[in-house]
Amino acid sequence: MKKDRIYLFDTTLRDGQQTPGIDFSVEDKIAIAGMLDEFGLDYVEGGYPGANPTDTAFFARKRTARAKFVAFGMTKRAGISASNDPGLAALLDSQSDAICLVAKSWDYHVRVALGCSNEENLESIAESVKAVVASGREAMIDCEHFFDGYKANPDYALACATTAFASGARWVVLCDTNGGTQPAEVRAIVEAVIAAGVPGANLGIHAHNDTGQAVANTLAAVEAGVRQIQGTLNGIGERCGNANLVTLVPTLALKETYAERFDIGIDTDMLTGLTKLSHTFDELLNRSPDHQAPYVGASAFATKAGIHASALLKDPRTYEHVTPESVGNLRKVMVSDQGGKANFINALKLRGITVAKDDPKLDRLIQIVKEREATGYAYEGADASFALLAYRTLGTVPDFFHVESFRVMVERRYDANGQLKTVSEAVVRLIVDGETMMSVAEGHGPVNALDLALRKDLGKYQSEIADLELADYKVRILNGGTEAITRVLIESTDASGARWWTVGVSDNIIDASFQALMDSIVYKLLKNRGEAGKAAAE
């Protein structure tokens, strides 16, 4: 059976830029466009040339090799010809392969936002699409608020879509701009558009996630006949975000209900780069990846319950809907005081450690984990710390360095300009190969100062930790009062893209932080030697 082609349209660089706290530079956009192009997406929408200096500079040249490079902008204004509209001219001057025009398709918006008649809006749609086609570019229309517009005035919403198609638009994209439409409504309305004369092969869907259903709405539209889907990396976008392409792509590629009917242009080799793409993008945004993200999250293939781990040992399909390797992720068996021996045996096996079920060292490791978790440690969220504990209990860990002492000082004072400031300073004394060294550092807070001092001079190991970065730092108070027990969880990363988590617990937040920092450095040194299991550094 011949499969229908579904085209993947990424709007990370345009609609995704509406995300609060995200502001891409030209360099950011160039890097992200390259990542999207390499992954195999069909369209990369780069932004709005003419609207701001960044997007104008970005469109000074074509930024993709394989994907079609898309410029976004508005249809011409009512009362002005297409040839005299400056906004449309900026789009036509851009170095793009395709132009996506946003058009009002809700008569309420035509009246209130544009202040023109319904007929004038239809003329703007038709003339703008014709101008794009005449320029030799692929034309597409984003029908803004289409689903709300259809529910308010179906005849006019359909007129907007059919006018765009009749004028030469390759794609007519139906936008759930407010994100409130339900899957059943999406399906029914898409079917109505097809019945009105716009073929499914020329229809797209652009869903927002305000009810948490952007992916579901996109799949409902596919079932109803659309053949272009729009979305963003990791679902970023204004308000609650857009449809998440990182979830949609593997669903369409790996779930038989879609895979047997559709081709998305991304083969199995490309798909194995999905987790890396998702995590690299989060790194560029300077944020920690969502551990529970479908397919690519650190917990997406993690198992905690002992009975689940036991079944996984026999056959992974018992608790995995797809193989983690298919999307470039890893299976992870978590260890905690709830876990039985199967958890521990499987977790150790993933780290290259084979241990017999009746080995007394295994019983000792389980006992230590249960005792420590009773005092506040959480190894299920700190794989690297568990790996180090396992190595030390079942074997040995090289004594890379020894910390004799550390001191952290926090001083709150007025500077020479009379401004109140807080200064943190840390001093660390450590021994490497019998040589004692002392490092001093100032930082943004006591933990940052301690981290800088600890990593300032590790002697012969210093070059090995040059690419080590502290990616995230979380503190949790485990009981009340000033004498509270504190748990610190640190996420670290290096130039290889590996990430690992370490934990420290103490009634002193600095001491807890120091434990986690020490584990992170030792794990990095083990990792450099290939001795740390890949499961802890996913």
Side-chain angles (χ1 to χ4, degrees):
M1 181 180 72
K2 186 178 184 299
K3 295 182 180 181
D4 282 358
R5 179 72 154 87
I6 292 180
Y7 293 85
L8 304 174
F9 183 108
D10 182 276
T11 182
T12 298
L13 299 176
R14 199 276 301 174
D15 215 353
Q17 191 162 254
Q18 308 304 313
T19 309
I22 289 179
D23 187 18
F24 297 126
S25 66
V26 175
E27 292 72 23
D28 290 337
K29 288 200 163 196
I30 292 171
I32 295 166
M35 290 159 49
L36 296 168
D37 191 32
E38 183 180 357
F39 185 64
L41 299 181
D42 297 294
Y43 295 90
V44 173
E45 187 176 51
Y48 197 153
N52 59 72
T54 298
D55 285 359
T56 300
F58 184 55
F59 277 94
R61 52 177 290 198
K62 182 169 157 49
R63 303 293 183 179
T64 58
R66 176 190 176 278
K68 291 186 178 179
F69 191 42
V70 185
F72 174 89
M74 294 180 64
T75 56
K76 79 171 188 69
R77 288 173 292 174
I80 298 177
S81 68
S83 59
N84 289 322
D85 187 280
L88 190 56
L91 294 175
L92 297 175
D93 288 340
S94 67
Q95 296 300 308
S96 60
D97 303 304
I99 293 175
C100 183
L101 301 164
V102 61
K104 303 294 184 186
S105 56
W106 185 356
D107 59 351
Y108 168 73
H109 278 251
V110 173
R111 184 175 71 253
V112 175
L114 298 183
C116 66
S117 69
N118 287 352
E119 291 71 23
E120 286 175 316
N121 182 51
L122 292 175
E123 182 202 15
S124 292
I125 292 173
E127 295 306 310
S128 299
V129 169
K130 289 175 183 177
V132 172
V133 173
S135 75
R137 252 66 78 79
E138 186 174 312
M140 58 186 81
I141 283 279
D142 272 4
C143 292
E144 189 181 32
H145 292 283
F146 184 85
F147 294 93
D148 293 305
Y150 181 90
K151 285 182 276 187
N153 185 340
D155 289 341
Y156 187 69
L158 290 172
C160 293
T162 55
T163 296
F165 177 65
S167 302
R170 166 65 181 93
W171 294 107
V172 178
V173 182
L174 311 179
C175 301
D176 184 27
T177 310
N178 284 338
T181 309
Q182 301 301 294
E185 294 177 301
V186 168
R187 184 164 189 159
I189 292 172
V190 168
E191 289 172 348
V193 176
I194 293 173
V198 183
N202 295 92
L203 280 178
I205 179 70
H206 179 107
H208 282 257
N209 203 40
D210 295 72
T211 62
Q213 297 179 101
V215 168
N217 279 342
T218 300
L219 294 174
V222 168
E223 291 284 1
V226 308
R227 293 298 178 257
Q228 185 205 88
I229 63 172
Q230 296 196 358
T232 59
L233 283 180
N234 295 342
I236 68 167
E238 66 177 328
R239 302 187 313 276
C240 303
N242 289 44
N244 190 347
L245 287 177
V246 175
T247 301
L248 280 164
V249 167
T251 297
L252 291 167
L254 299 175
K255 293 303 175 183
E256 197 61 29
T257 185
Y258 301 111
E260 66 181 7
R261 292 181 288 157
F262 304 118
D263 171 26
I264 62 170
I266 291 180
D267 62 28
T268 54
D269 287 340
M270 293 175 179
L271 197 59
T272 60
L274 184 69
T275 298
K276 181 181 179 181
L277 173 67
S278 173
H279 291 187
T280 302
F281 180 63
D282 275 328
E283 277 300 312
L284 191 146
L285 298 181
N286 195 30
R287 68 181 193 178
S288 180
D290 178 5
H291 291 188
Q292 290 190 298
Y295 295 102
V296 299
S299 299
F301 300 96
T303 302
K304 179 176 177 179
I307 188 172
H308 292 186
S310 179
L312 271 174
L313 280 172
K314 297 171 184 174
D315 187 347
R317 290 176 299 176
T318 52
Y319 284 97
E320 292 175 352
H321 66 103
V322 298
T323 62
E325 295 82 8
S326 64
V327 291
N329 207 339
L330 292 165
R331 181 173 301 115
K332 179 160 57 174
V333 176
M334 305 167 80
V335 289
S336 73
D337 59 4
Q338 297 180 33
K341 278 193 175 183
N343 288 66
F344 285 85
I345 292 171
N346 203 15
L348 294 170
K349 182 180 179 182
L350 288 171
R351 291 165 176 82
I353 301 174
T354 302
V355 59
K357 192 172 183 179
D358 57 354
D359 190 326
K361 287 184 178 180
L362 175 61
D363 294 328
R364 176 60 181 154
L365 175 62
I366 295 172
Q367 180 186 353
I368 292 173
V369 169
K370 291 180 183 292
E371 289 173 353
R372 289 199 173 192
E373 293 213 336
T375 65
Y377 286 85
Y379 288 110
E380 66 186 57
D383 269 1
S385 284
F386 168 72
L388 291 176
L389 179 62
Y391 295 144
R392 288 173 176 138
T393 305
L394 301 173
T396 59
V397 172
D399 188 13
F400 297 109
F401 60 91
H402 172 70
V403 176
E404 281 195 322
S405 65
F406 70 83
R407 183 171 72 251
V408 180
M409 295 159 286
V410 179
E411 182 183 7
R412 191 169 186 258
R413 56 178 168 80
Y414 290 94
D415 63 16
N417 298 317
Q419 299 295 316
L420 188 63
K421 64 185 296 184
T422 302
V423 179
S424 297
E425 181 183 270
V427 181
V428 175
R429 288 174 58 89
L430 52 82
I431 301 173
V432 180
D433 276 357
E435 181 183 353
T436 300
M437 288 171 281
M438 184 173 72
S439 298
V440 182
E442 287 189 353
H444 299 292
V447 176
N448 179 240
L450 183 60
D451 179 36
L452 293 174
L454 181 60
R455 293 196 281 143
K456 194 170 187 178
D457 188 1
L458 278 184
K460 67 181 183 181
Y461 302 115
Q462 187 61 32
S463 62
E464 292 193 43
I465 62 169
D467 63 336
L468 174 62
E469 292 185 15
L470 192 156
D472 202 6
Y473 174 86
K474 293 183 174 67
V475 177
R476 183 174 179 185
I477 306 302
L478 301 181
N479 56 1
T482 55
E483 76 288 355
I485 299 297
T486 302
R487 178 167 68 218
V488 169
L489 189 67
I490 287 178
E491 181 182 1
S492 302
T493 185
D494 65 12
S496 72
R499 314 180 72 87
W500 60 93
W501 292 260
T502 52
V503 66
V505 173
S506 174
D507 57 4
N508 183 303
I509 188 173
I510 304 301
D511 183 53
S513 302
F514 184 76
Q515 293 175 34
L517 288 169
M518 283 275 288
D519 272 6
S520 175
I521 293 172
V522 173
Y523 185 84
K524 164 65 173 171
L525 294 174
L526 281 177
K527 174 182 173 293
N528 288 351
R529 287 154 180 75
E531 297 176 30
K534 66 178 182 178
E538 62 166 40

